[in-house]
């Protein structure tokens, strides 16, 4: 996928509507993780270095209208610290305060609008709201990969109205990194999938099956496959309505000559949350067993596949890694990913958190900042905010 590049956009002396993803985790007005703020600094600096006037816009949380508890004010303060720039925060999404702030911008100044979701039309991809945003700027840049799978007024309807537009550097990097997985990945290509459920990830499984040489399945998702194979899984999380689908996926993998690896052992408890777990093969589980994680044999088998891969994509923890007795499998995969010399990509909210928790995130080739967006991209879905930026 080729996107219009910021390098080809004339920003000098012009107002640049820069859609970013500042949807940071917050608690009591404090930013818990500023990764997303740091992530757009290269794009911001590129615009400023070339004499542009950046007008930043983002959503935060899910407010239904103006809501002071979901204000971007703390993000404005953090952006000021991180960028060292004069970040002007008019405290409104639109209106005279915003217009005055933009009109008064001096070279090097940055304006950050208030939370776009304070405007009702944002979630509805409202063209009327897009027209109002359009009046604020001369050119458009979107660096919000995390929301690229949504058609919102500021990510989609607005982009349609601009002729001069581009993807930001973060967006470009995400698309290039994920395209290396979806388009002609270097072989062997190993995909590791886990997490709680298959539902919501079926498209990802279906899209990866023809491309990957091996699919390693762990986490709660594996339980449904194991049960479809006829194994007793006790009280483990399972999606009974997807047993047929899991069976079909395994048939398809076999017909295509693909390896589909399921865990052979697990870490088992009798109740959740668990203080401790027992390692057991998955062939003879008792009726009250709960599979909370993959076991050491499975870890070794998965790690061996990862070690020999030229491309690896990982989404979904191998177990309930939030509980200590069940963190081992996920940490083992994280370690194998870190040690793999091939092209390694991790995507998904909890998976990225687990990778960070492992302390080995820096050794991964690409960690996607977009949870849902990265999965939809891998699944081959049309991402509305990317469609409007295609070259
Ligand atoms: P991601 O956000 O990376 O896409 P998911 O949201 O699909 O991942 O899944 C993450 C969740 O899956 C974790 O919170 C974890 O506790 C849960 N999970 C993993 N393995 C199991 C299991 N065996 N049983 C129940 N839940 C599990
Ligand atoms: Mg998740």
């Amino acid at each position: 996928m080729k996107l219009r590049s910021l390098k080809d956009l004339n920003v000098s002396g012009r107002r640049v509507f820069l859609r970013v993803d500042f949807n940071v985790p917050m608690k009591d007005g404090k930013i818990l993780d500023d990764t997303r703020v740091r992530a757009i600094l290269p794009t911001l600096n590129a615009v400023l270095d070339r004499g542009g006037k950046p007008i930043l816009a983002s959503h935060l949380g899910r407010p239904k209208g103006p809501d002071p508890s979901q204000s971007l004010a703390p993000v404005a303060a953090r952006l000021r610290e991180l960028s060292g720039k004069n970040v002007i925060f008019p405290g409104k999404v639109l209106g005279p305060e915003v217009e005055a702030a933009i009109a008064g911008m001096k070279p090097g100044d940055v304006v950050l609008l208030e939370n776009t979701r304070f405007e009702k039309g944002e979630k509805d991809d409202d063209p009327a709201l897009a027209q109002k945003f359009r009046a604020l700027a001369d050119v458009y840049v979107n660096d919000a990969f995390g929301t690229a799978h949504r058609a919102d007024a500021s990510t989609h309807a607005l982009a349609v109205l601009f002729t001069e537009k581009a993807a930001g550097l973060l967006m470009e990097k995400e698309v290039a990194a994920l395209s290396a997985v979806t388009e002609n990945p270097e072989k062997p290509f190993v995909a590791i999938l886990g997490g709680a459920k298959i539902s919501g990830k079926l498209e990802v499984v279906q899209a990866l099956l023809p491309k990957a040489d091996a699919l390693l399945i762990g986490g709660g998702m594996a339980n449904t496959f194991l049960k479809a194979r006829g194994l007793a899984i006790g009280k483990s999380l399972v999606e009974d309505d997807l047993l047929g689908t899991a069976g079909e996926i395994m048939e398809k993998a076999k017909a295509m000559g693909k390896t589909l690896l399921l865990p052979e052992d697990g870490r088992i408890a009798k109740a959740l949350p668990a203080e401790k777990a027992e390692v057991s093969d998955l062939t003879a589980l008792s009726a009250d067993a709960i599979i909370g994680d993959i076991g050491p044999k499975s870890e070794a088998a998965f790690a061996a596949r990862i070690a020999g891969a030229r491309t690896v994509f990982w989404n979904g923890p191998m177990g309930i890694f939030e509980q200590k007795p069940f963190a081992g499998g996920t940490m083992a995969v994280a370690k194998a990913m870190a040690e793999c010399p091939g092209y390694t990509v991790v995507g998904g909210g909890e998976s990225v958190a687990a990778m960070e928790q492992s302390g080995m995130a820096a050794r991964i080739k690409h960690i996607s900042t977009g949870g849902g967006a990265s999965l939809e991209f891998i699944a081959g879905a049309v991402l509305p905010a990317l469609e409007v930026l295609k070259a």
Side-chain angles (χ1 to χ4, degrees):
M1 180 184 277
K2 273 300 295 140
L3 298 177
R4 297 187 196 211
S5 172
L6 180 55
K7 295 175 200 80
D8 302 325
L9 195 67
N10 174 18
V11 298
S12 179
R14 305 173 84 192
R15 300 166 302 168
V16 181
F17 192 101
L18 177 50
R19 179 55 161 97
V20 293
D21 184 357
F22 283 165
N23 187 27
V24 292
M26 295 255 268
K27 196 163 185 238
D28 306 326
K30 294 247 173 333
I31 299 170
L32 299 178
D33 179 0
D34 62 10
T35 307
R36 287 182 161 171
V37 183
R38 293 174 189 276
I40 64 91
L41 292 178
T43 302
L44 180 63
N45 288 326
V47 169
L48 287 170
D49 289 348
R50 287 162 51 202
K53 298 177 181 172
I55 302 155
L56 272 57
S58 174
H59 75 283
L60 173 67
R62 293 176 177 176
K64 294 277 172 285
D67 173 353
S69 76
Q70 313 250 42
S71 170
L72 279 172
V75 177
R78 184 60 60 89
L79 180 64
R80 207 168 283 133
E81 288 166 21
L82 291 172
S83 68
K85 305 295 176 192
N86 181 30
V87 177
I88 302 153
F89 183 66
K92 293 279 183 330
V93 187
L94 291 162
E97 292 92 339
V98 169
E99 286 156 30
I102 294 171
M105 282 174 91
K106 294 181 194 64
D109 282 356
V110 176
V111 166
L112 172 63
L113 306 182
E114 183 54 284
N115 191 343
T116 52
R117 285 196 187 162
F118 286 6
E119 290 289 326
K120 209 193 136 291
E122 170 71 343
K123 281 298 314 149
D124 303 330
D125 200 19
D126 178 15
L129 175 59
Q131 287 288 358
K132 291 181 190 163
F133 285 139
R134 176 68 185 87
L136 301 179
D138 304 301
V139 300
Y140 177 83
V141 175
N142 189 349
D143 215 16
F145 180 71
T147 31
H149 56 316
R150 305 238 159 80
D152 292 344
S154 66
T155 64
H156 181 262
L158 177 59
V160 172
L161 297 176
F162 280 97
T163 46
E164 293 180 79
K165 55 192 170 187
L169 302 175
L170 174 65
M171 184 81 97
E172 202 170 57
K173 187 172 135 210
E174 287 277 4
V175 168
L178 296 173
S179 297
V181 171
T182 55
E183 295 167 21
N184 298 318
E186 253 197 84
K187 303 247 162 187
F189 171 25
V190 172
I192 312 142
L193 295 173
K197 296 179 176 179
I198 311 179
S199 49
K201 295 198 177 167
L202 267 179
E203 289 79 8
V204 180
V205 178
Q206 302 281 14
L208 286 173
L209 198 53
K211 289 174 184 161
D213 299 289
L215 220 55
L216 318 183
I217 298 183
M221 181 192 281
N223 300 342
T224 303
F225 285 92
L226 292 166
K227 188 169 177 182
R229 269 197 187 166
L231 288 177
I233 54 165
K235 289 189 296 172
S236 306
L237 182 70
V238 69
E239 289 167 286
D240 280 316
D241 53 326
L242 290 176
L243 286 172
T245 308
E248 284 162 26
I249 291 169
M250 290 189 286
E251 292 282 318
K252 204 164 146 191
K254 199 172 169 192
M256 293 167 99
K258 308 281 181 170
T259 304
L260 193 151
L261 219 56
L262 293 175
E264 52 190 301
D265 60 350
R267 291 185 173 87
I268 314 296
K270 298 282 156 87
L272 296 178
E275 293 295 321
K276 57 183 180 46
E278 257 169 52
V279 171
S280 168
D281 281 356
L282 299 180
T283 42
L285 292 185
S286 62
D288 57 354
I290 298 169
I291 309 170
D293 194 10
I294 63 171
K297 285 188 209 169
S298 314
E299 286 172 10
F302 284 16
R305 289 278 172 179
I306 295 166
R310 294 293 311 146
T311 308
V312 191
F313 173 73
W314 178 28
N315 166 259
M318 295 293 100
I320 312 170
F321 76 104
E322 299 90 342
Q323 296 175 30
K324 221 171 166 200
F326 300 135
T330 301
M331 293 304 129
V333 166
K335 182 164 177 281
M337 291 284 288
E339 287 168 357
C340 174
Y343 185 72
T344 46
V345 177
V346 181
E350 267 83 24
S351 313
V352 170
M355 201 63 235
E356 300 287 351
Q357 193 181 310
S358 78
M360 291 177 278
R363 293 163 68 187
I364 302 301
K365 301 291 185 301
H366 182 71
I367 295 194
S368 180
T369 55
S374 59
L375 287 190
E376 293 214 13
F377 190 96
I378 294 287
V382 169
L383 277 57
L386 294 185
E387 282 303 302
V388 286
L389 297 177
K390 274 188 172 169

